[in-house]
């Protein structure tokens, strides 16, 4: 668990791991020298952690790699300290990897919640292969679990990335090992103003372009990149457009979407509603789209709230219910 100044969410994240009840668990917390009270929380949990430290580091990617370097378990994963596992995640991941010994990495579905824990969206996936990932079908990171032996072959995380180091790792995994999707909700990813996916949204574009350049010279990936150049280029532009919307650059997003549509019409239309959002926002009438989006979310989720409680807990997503509840 990498962490830096996330005391507001840290305890809930820790509890979501510890209350899984998994019988053979290592929980390693690498804190980057937080000044917000996080070390005090970690001291309270010290006897339940395999290791924790709070010292300056080179950033999140460095912290994750350091944690993986200490890990001894057969299965490894990382959970950011503002996210949380849903009930049964660890058992589900272990069972999937036990039942499918040829698989190097397993991932599942999950949910997105806001700063207060209100449910924003459910993310459901399909089986993905290397080309899908090169086209920026993006996984919900905390739902991913890997065999440590396979990570040793594929990894570590590339520290030249600050934002898409996870996606880069998934691409490298898929080029060497089969991936497995499990149709279950394993994690809640929290979006808030300080989250990197929000605060540094524009930075994803540059790193995504770097990823594709590197893939183009990787001996394992180059043939696939060359054979699908237009599809990958259009998908990169569509991904960039979505991130530029998050960054508030609606004109830039519209231009990227137009280029994606010219390159590959199917890719350009895949996220048509985002193209509408970019266009309306560029015209200064984004409230129409926001109103539609809020109405859609309300109809789908109705008062859905993530109930964390004062001391955190294991979150349970129950189908057909309006809330994610603690067990």
């Amino acid at each position: 668990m990498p962490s830096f100044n996330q005391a507001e969410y840290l305890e809930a994240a820790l509890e979501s791991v510890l209350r899984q009840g998994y019988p053979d668990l290592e929980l390693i917390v690498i804190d980057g020298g937080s000044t917000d009270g996080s070390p005090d929380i970690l001291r309270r949990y010290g006897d339940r952690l395999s290791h924790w430290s709070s010292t300056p580091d080179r950033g999140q990617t460095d912290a994750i790699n350091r944690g993986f370097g200490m890990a001894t378990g057969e299965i490894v994963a990382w959970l950011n300290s503002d996210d949380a596992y849903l009930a049964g995640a660890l058992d589900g991941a272990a069972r999937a990897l036990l039942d499918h010994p040829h698989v190097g990495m397993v991932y599942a579905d999950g949910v997105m919640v806001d700063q207060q824990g209100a449910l924003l969206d459910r993310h459901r996936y399909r089986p993905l292969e290397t080309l899908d990932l090169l086209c920026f079908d993006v996984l919900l990171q905390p739902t991913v679990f890997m065999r440590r032996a396979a990570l040793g072959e594929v990894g570590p995380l590339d520290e030249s990335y600050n934002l898409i180091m996870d996606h880069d790792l998934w691409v490298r995994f898929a080029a060497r090992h089969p991936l497995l999707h499990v149709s279950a909700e394993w994690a809640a990813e929290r979006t808030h103003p300080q989250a990197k996916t929000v605060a540094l949204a524009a930075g994803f574009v540059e790193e995504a372009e770097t990823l594709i350049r590197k893939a183009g010279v990787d001996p394992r990936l180059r043939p696939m990149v060359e054979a699908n150049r237009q599809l990958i280029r259009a998908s990169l532009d569509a991904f960039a457009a979505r991130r530029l919307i998050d960054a508030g650059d609606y004109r830039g997003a519209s231009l990227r979407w137009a280029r994606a549509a010219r390159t590959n019409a199917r890719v350009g239309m895949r996220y048509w509603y985002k193209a509408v959002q970019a266009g309306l926002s560029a015209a200064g009438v984004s409230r129409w789209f926001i109103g539609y989006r809020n109405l859609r979310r309300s109809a789908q989720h109705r008062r859905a709230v993530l109930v964390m409680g004062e001391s955190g807990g294991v979150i349970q997503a129950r189908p057909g219910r309006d809330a994610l509840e603690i067990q």
Side-chain angles (χ1 to χ4, degrees), residues 164-199:
I164 64 168
M165 65 283 192
D166 53 349
H167 193 73
D168 169 72
L169 184 61
W170 314 153
V171 170
R172 289 188 280 130
F173 249 95
R176 293 164 175 81
H177 297 279
L179 311 185
L180 177 68
H181 170 248
V182 175
S183 295
E185 290 181 342
W186 281 356
E189 185 172 283
R190 196 188 304 265
T191 180
H192 54 88
Q194 292 75 43
K196 290 203 300 187
T197 50
V198 176

Side-chain angles (χ1 to χ4, degrees), residues 31-78:
D31 181 84
S34 293
T35 58
D36 66 344
S38 294
D40 294 331
I41 295 173
L42 294 173
R43 286 187 191 96
R44 286 196 283 109
Y45 280 83
D47 61 348
R48 304 172 68 186
L49 305 177
S50 300
H51 169 87
W52 74 271
S53 61
S54 183
T55 58
D57 54 36
R58 296 192 302 271
Q60 182 187 18
T61 309
D62 172 50
I64 296 167
N65 280 338
R66 286 171 56 199
F68 282 157
M70 299 176 188
T72 64
E74 295 177 71
I75 301 169
V76 294
W78 81 87

Side-chain angles (χ1 to χ4, degrees), residues 139 265-266 320:
L139 303 179
R266 182 174 295 181

